[in-house]
Amino acid sequence: MFMGRFLVQWIISERKGESTIPVAFWYLSIAGGILLFAYACWRRDPVFILGQSTGLIVYTRNLVLLKRSRRKALQADV
């Protein structure tokens, strides 16, 4: 999942000719984070669990900010 997100980011950036982080990057980050979080819980590793849960919060927050930004842009166009 994490490899896939960097591949998606690279392909999109190459197509646009500039550095870009597509929305798919954040969804792949969440998917990979959930898998690692589940593994960390299975291992019962509190440091690993804390690290992955923190990452999941950041990935989710980025999606919320993107959605909010798009909503504002749509309202400005109206």
Side-chain angles (χ1 to χ4, degrees):
M1 289 293 171
F2 286 113
M3 165 69 176
R5 71 185 186 156
F6 289 115
L7 187 60
V8 166
Q9 191 270 332
W10 177 40
I11 291 168
I12 298 297
S13 292
E14 287 296 327
R15 286 184 182 167
K16 286 190 169 189
E18 63 185 23
S19 181
T20 303
I21 299 178
V23 174
F25 179 91
W26 299 114
Y27 283 111
L28 289 168
S29 297
I30 289 172
I34 289 169
L35 290 172
L36 286 174
F37 180 77
Y39 177 68
C41 290
W42 178 74
R43 297 244 350 223
R44 296 182 183 172
D45 184 335
V47 174
F48 196 6
I49 291 168
L50 181 63
Q52 289 309 310
S53 61
T54 304
L56 286 170
I57 291 167
V58 172
Y59 306 147
T60 304
R61 179 66 177 150
N62 277 299
L63 283 174
V64 168
L65 292 172
L66 283 170
K67 188 174 184 177
R68 188 178 295 163
S69 175
R70 286 182 176 174
R71 192 178 307 138
K72 284 182 183 179
L74 287 174
Q75 289 174 349
D77 289 340
V78 174

